[in-house]
């Protein structure tokens, strides 16, 4: 599994509007993107929003984000007008605890 985290640094005065846009945009992602195990939007008002998605494997993530999935975030049209900085993107895998 690959865990993908996109962090948005949001203009405080546009935070709620941005949250609503992101939630609306990603709500249908599981049905549209095979291999998306689950996802969530995490909020830290008034500046930070995380979109966390968990993918079955690299091939499924390429299907969603393209060949440059490791270093290029997926950006929605008009998203940059809400942000104070470009999206930050990170990927994680799980370490076994047992």
């Amino acid at each position: 599994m690959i865990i993908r985290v996109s962090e948005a640094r949001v203009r405080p005065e546009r935070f709620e509007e941005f949250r609503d846009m992101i939630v609306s945009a990603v709500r249908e992602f599981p049905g549209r993107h095979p291999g998306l195990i689950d996802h969530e939007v995490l909020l830290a008002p008034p500046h930070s929003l995380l979109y966390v998605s968990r993918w079955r494997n690299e091939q499924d993530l390429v299907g969603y984000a393209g060949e440059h999935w490791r270093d290029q975030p997926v950006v929605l049209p008009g998203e940059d007008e809400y942000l104070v900085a470009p999206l930050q993107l990170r990927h994680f895998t799980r370490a076994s605890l047992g």
Side-chain angles (χ1 to χ4, degrees), residues 48-90:
S48 187
L49 179 146
L50 300 179
Y51 176 60
V52 180
S53 54
R54 292 166 189 83
W55 297 86
R56 184 175 41 218
N57 57 43
E58 183 175 334
Q59 187 175 15
D60 292 326
L61 193 45
V62 167
Y64 164 68
E67 292 295 324
H68 300 285
W69 65 270
R70 284 182 179 85
D71 54 14
Q72 291 182 359
V74 173
V75 179
L76 300 174
E79 185 173 309
D80 58 336
E81 71 185 59
Y82 296 92
L83 305 179
V84 297
L87 289 176
Q88 296 295 309
L89 181 62
R90 291 176 288 175

Side-chain angles (χ1 to χ4, degrees), residues 3-96:
I3 301 165
R4 180 178 172 94
V5 179
S6 297
E7 181 175 5
R9 298 291 296 165
V10 184
R11 298 178 190 283
E13 69 276 10
R14 310 264 337 249
F15 188 85
E16 290 181 18
E17 187 180 353
F18 183 71
R19 176 204 60 214
D20 293 346
M21 181 186 81
I22 295 301
V23 168
S24 176
V26 304
R27 183 175 283 127
E28 303 300 322
F29 276 14
R32 284 194 259 156
H33 300 288
L36 177 60
I37 297 168
D38 70 359
H39 65 154
E40 60 191 330
V41 175
L42 303 176
L43 308 172
H47 300 287
S48 187
L49 179 146
L50 300 179
Y51 176 60
V52 180
S53 54
R54 292 166 189 83
W55 297 86
R56 184 175 41 218
N57 57 43
E58 183 175 334
Q59 187 175 15
D60 292 326
L61 193 45
V62 167
Y64 164 68
E67 292 295 324
H68 300 285
W69 65 270
R70 284 182 179 85
D71 54 14
Q72 291 182 359
V74 173
V75 179
L76 300 174
E79 185 173 309
D80 58 336
E81 71 185 59
Y82 296 92
L83 305 179
V84 297
L87 289 176
Q88 296 295 309
L89 181 62
R90 291 176 288 175
H91 297 92
F92 302 88
T93 55
R94 289 187 172 165
S96 175

